[in-house]
Amino acid sequence: MSNTDVVAGFFAAGEADDVKAAIAHFAEDGVWIAAEGSEPGTTYRKPAMSELLARLIAVRKEYEAKGVKIAYGDLGEAGDKVYLEIVISLDGKVLDRSIDVFTVVDGRIAVKDVYRKA
């Protein structure tokens, strides 16, 4: 399984609202570094990721109900890194853009780092 397949599996599970399956793509000592927070960002370890992802799924559903579009770019891979652009828009106006940078080690996500422009 390629690193891109690992990240694609994470997103597929998230899009299917399967939090447990999505988080299973992370290494036991994996981290998810969100763009928001004071560190900069906020670092979530695996025990807290399920709650974070559940909140993000709820936000996605709110967006969809309001007609907000979430567009995912193609996954790009370079070594142990996988990159994904995400664009959130409403009526053609970009509301938010972000890049997720994943580090994949031994078939699991070791780091999900989010870079965002709102």
Side-chain angles (χ1 to χ4, degrees), residues 1-2 10-11 16 25 30 55 73 77 89-90 96 103 116:
M1 177 180 293
S2 73
F10 164 75
F11 275 95
H25 287 82
R55 285 195 318 262
E77 184 173 348
S89 61
L90 177 62
D96 193 295
T103 303
R116 179 175 155 238

Side-chain angles (χ1 to χ4, degrees), residues 3-4 7 76-83 100-104 111:
N3 293 341
T4 300
V7 173
E77 184 173 348
D80 66 351
K81 303 284 192 244
V82 177
Y83 303 89
D100 286 3
V101 179
F102 295 84
T103 303
V104 180
V111 178

Side-chain angles (χ1 to χ4, degrees), residues 32-44 113-114:
W32 181 331
I33 307 168
E36 301 79 19
S38 62
E39 295 180 18
T42 300
T43 300
Y44 295 86
D113 203 352
V114 180

